Amino acid sequence: MINNTYSFSAIELILAEGRTRNEKLLNSVAKSIYYKYLYKKTASQEDKEQYIPSYFVKTTIFWMCEQKHYELNKIDGTNDEEIEKKLALEWIQYTSKLLWNGVVKHYFLEEVNILDSYPIDSVTIAWDILKNGIDLDNRAFISATEKVRDGLLKLKCEQYVEHQRFKKNLSIIDIKQ
């Protein structure tokens, strides 16, 4: 079994920095949905400590940005809230289909299905919540999305420093070779 939490953070950071505005909003919305509706609510009946982790969300976002780049960036609205609702629906539909099919390929290790690490009842619970339990008109969801977006902005400085360090190390490796 491969540990799905193996860190690709430097590469993930580079990919995240290249996201368009809508793709960044999508990331914010998906994280809000996860923390409001899925986080620890997908616990297995057999092991209450085993639930679908946030890495699942990160992986679905990477795949969506790659596979649906054009469609995501055509989504528009009169304000961020309207765009975020449309993006939320896209993520819910996309992710529900992956859960239903039981396959979410690891973004960097495509031979790995990250759902294999989670109990089937956790996957089923997550699917049911996404299909039946999300209220995108709920003010709590909207304010949670705003909090996630604000939190991401605060992390930007730390990530930039990490990215610069990574690029410097790549240059050193290139010089040595």
Side-chain angles (χ1 to χ4, degrees):
M1 178 194 257
I2 295 176
N3 182 355
N4 292 328
T5 59
Y6 185 74
S7 180
F8 292 93
S9 59
I11 298 167
E12 291 169 354
L13 177 61
I14 292 168
L15 290 173
E17 285 180 349
R19 289 182 182 150
T20 65
R21 184 175 186 283
N22 273 13
E23 290 168 343
K24 289 175 183 176
L25 288 174
L26 172 69
N27 185 58
S28 175
V29 160
K31 285 184 177 184
S32 294
I33 292 170
Y34 173 77
Y35 285 109
K36 173 143 180 62
Y37 294 100
L38 298 173
Y39 180 64
K40 293 194 178 181
K41 295 177 180 130
T42 58
S44 170
Q45 294 300 314
E46 296 172 18
D47 181 356
K48 295 291 185 192
E49 293 301 311
Q50 193 167 17
Y51 53 88
I52 295 182
S54 62
Y55 190 78
F56 166 79
V57 176
K58 184 187 292 190
T59 303
T60 61
I61 296 301
F62 280 129
W63 282 117
M64 272 190 85
C65 289
E66 178 178 319
Q67 295 171 351
K68 298 180 67 104
H69 176 79
Y70 181 72
E71 295 94 330
L72 291 173
N73 290 296
K74 281 180 44 179
I75 294 173
D76 63 355
T78 56
N79 56 43
D80 280 353
E81 187 177 314
E82 187 178 323
I83 295 167
E84 287 170 344
K85 282 184 184 179
K86 291 176 182 179
L87 291 167
L89 286 172
E90 287 290 323
W91 184 77
I92 290 167
Q93 291 170 350
Y94 181 86
T95 303
S96 296
K97 183 178 178 181
L98 294 175
L99 290 167
W100 181 258
N101 292 331
V103 178
V104 176
K105 292 180 180 179
H106 188 287
Y107 194 72
F108 300 102
L109 307 169
E110 289 188 50
E111 68 279 0
V112 175
N113 176 8
I114 66 171
L115 293 182
D116 287 345
S117 302
Y118 314 141
I120 190 69
D121 60 332
S122 291
V123 173
T124 304
I125 292 166
W127 178 84
D128 187 57
I129 290 170
L130 289 177
K131 291 303 276 184
N132 304 306
I134 304 213
D135 178 8
L136 296 178
D137 293 319
N138 182 334
R139 280 301 310 162
F141 166 75
I142 294 164
S143 65
T145 301
E146 291 167 352
K147 286 179 186 173
V148 169
R149 194 179 330 134
D150 292 345
L152 291 173
L153 290 174
K154 289 177 186 173
L155 285 175
K156 189 89 171 139
C157 286
E158 294 169 18
Q159 292 174 339
Y160 178 77
V161 170
E162 182 181 338
H163 174 67
Q164 293 303 316
R165 216 175 293 141
F166 175 73
K167 283 180 22 181
K168 182 179 178 182
N169 287 338
L170 278 181
S171 298
I172 292 168
I173 290 168
D174 287 343
I175 292 169
K176 288 182 179 179
Q177 294 178 352

